[in-house]
Amino acid sequence: MMARAVVFAYHNVGVRCLSVLLARGVEVALVVTHEDNPNETIWFDSVAELAALHGIPVIKPADPNTDAVLERVKAARADWLFSFYYRHMLKAPLLATASQGAYNMHGSLLPKYRGRVPVNWAIIHGETETGATLHVMNEKPDNGAIVDQTAVPILPDDTAHEVFNKVTVAAELTLYRCLPALLAGTATLTQQDLAQGAYFGGRKAEDGRIDWHSSARQIHNLVRAVAPPYPGAHTIIHGLPARILQTQVTDLHAQDRPEKCLYTEHSKIFAKCGDGSILRIVELELAGHALDATGFVQRFGTSPLSLA
């Protein structure tokens, strides 16, 4: 008998994991997704378009935990409920609609980085690996028993976009590998030791402000964690808004430069950070316009420029 599922999904992880269910022969009776936010840069693929391609009914409620949505999901009479990067928490009545249980794909190696935007947080904290985890859903975020997980490396200069692409593949591999055993009822579940990780909240554009008292490594991690298509790390240079979009950590020393300053050398822009470490500024925008070392000197001269 074919397994029947309701899928709550969004973003690239949602697209790839829905594709896995279809490839594995799961009958998807209903897809619940989001309306795209016109104020958000939509750089990712559409779950709604994939569902439409396969003739699957789609709804896009602002709140999934309403009586109307609950009745629609109940009417689907699903064996399984899956959540793949769906952005709202699902309450107990929805989770109880699937006779064989509810499962979520999370973009970290649980129990680490429970909660929101786990890829960005992992990079900010200088992690060298992350991954994707399929786990049992309950009313508390990301704390249910683990079905399976796959790790991917975070290289020293990887941006959040690059790591998210790896996590998307990890999610696909994880679900493809464990789904047959899960559907057959033979999957082994492992309880999380929540003390080995922590919960993190969402991030806003203003959280990308650079603290120049930090080390070059810490600032580099922030820059790559929020680099486009995310809003970018931002600061004020000579009273003007600036975004720093790409950096490199160096082993340079600049004893003759004051701390927390920008300066040019060998046709490159550098920042001396609060602890004395030196960060190369590879890509800089000032007041919305790209600025290289030549333009920097033309605008500000060759003296070090103080950073707040």
Side-chain angles (χ1 to χ4, degrees):
M1 184 176 173
M2 182 180 288
R4 186 174 170 89
V6 168
V7 176
F8 290 73
Y10 196 58
H11 221 290
N12 288 347
V13 168
V15 168
R16 297 310 303 171
C17 288
L18 175 57
S19 297
V20 169
L21 294 184
L22 297 173
R24 286 292 198 187
V26 174
E27 179 187 0
V28 179
L30 177 68
V31 164
V32 185
T33 189
H34 300 288
E35 291 282 3
D36 291 335
N37 182 345
N39 297 317
E40 182 178 353
T41 301
I42 306 299
W43 55 269
F44 41 84
D45 295 332
S46 169
V47 167
E49 288 180 8
L50 177 62
L53 180 66
H54 290 273
I56 302 168
V58 176
I59 58 173
K60 302 177 182 179
D63 178 4
N65 297 293
T66 62
D67 289 342
V69 174
L70 179 62
E71 291 308 310
R72 184 74 184 268
V73 173
K74 280 182 177 178
R77 305 201 316 182
D79 308 304
W80 306 88
L81 186 151
F82 291 101
S83 176
F84 303 132
Y85 263 63
Y86 188 73
R87 293 177 172 178
H88 294 315
M89 293 294 297
L90 305 182
K91 294 183 178 178
L94 276 176
L95 300 180
T97 59
S99 60
Q100 300 301 311
Y103 296 84
N104 176 61
M105 184 67 71
H106 184 70
S108 78
L109 295 176
L110 291 177
K112 286 189 171 185
Y113 298 100
R114 303 189 300 276
R116 303 296 298 276
V117 294
V119 166
N120 309 77
W121 281 118
I123 295 171
I124 286 169
H125 286 92
E127 299 288 354
T128 57
E129 71 170 7
T130 187
T133 304
L134 187 72
H135 66 94
V136 174
M137 287 184 78
N138 52 42
E139 281 199 279
K140 293 184 178 179
D142 308 321
N143 72 345
I146 292 170
V147 182
D148 199 359
Q149 61 185 190
T150 302
V152 295
I154 302 176
L155 305 185
D157 292 329
D158 278 348
T159 66
H161 186 215
E162 290 167 331
V163 176
F164 187 83
N165 287 340
K166 299 181 195 183
V167 169
T168 300
V169 175
E172 179 177 340
L173 291 171
T174 300
L175 186 63
Y176 191 83
R177 181 175 58 237
C178 73
L179 189 60
L182 187 66
L183 297 178
T186 59
T188 300
L189 303 185
T190 304
Q191 295 299 321
Q192 293 189 53
D193 179 0
L194 299 181
Q196 298 303 309
Y199 177 86
F200 290 84
R203 293 182 59 83
K204 300 186 174 87
E206 53 263 36
D207 297 324
R209 184 182 63 81
I210 297 171
D211 179 0
W212 292 106
H213 293 86
S214 304
S215 69
R217 175 65 63 184
Q218 290 170 321
I219 295 170
H220 177 66
N221 288 344
L222 174 65
V223 168
R224 62 200 185 96
V226 299
Y230 300 101
H234 58 89
T235 188
I236 300 295
I237 297 176
H238 204 65
L240 296 172
R243 291 201 306 164
I244 294 180
L245 304 177
Q246 186 182 0
T247 53
Q248 279 185 326
V249 175
T250 77
D251 56 4
L252 299 174
H253 302 278
Q255 302 297 339
D256 59 331
R257 311 285 184 177
E259 288 182 1
K260 303 195 300 297
C261 76
L262 288 178
Y263 66 93
T264 57
E265 196 170 273
H266 306 304
S267 299
K268 296 174 183 176
I269 304 173
F270 296 95
K272 186 171 182 180
C273 304
D275 68 343
S277 56
I278 306 299
L279 185 68
R280 182 187 169 197
I281 310 300
V282 178
E283 188 176 351
L284 168 65
E285 272 185 8
L286 186 66
H289 300 285
L291 190 68
D292 62 10
T294 300
F296 188 90
V297 170
Q298 289 173 347
R299 183 153 193 162
F300 300 116
T302 57
S303 297
L305 200 63
S306 179
L307 292 165

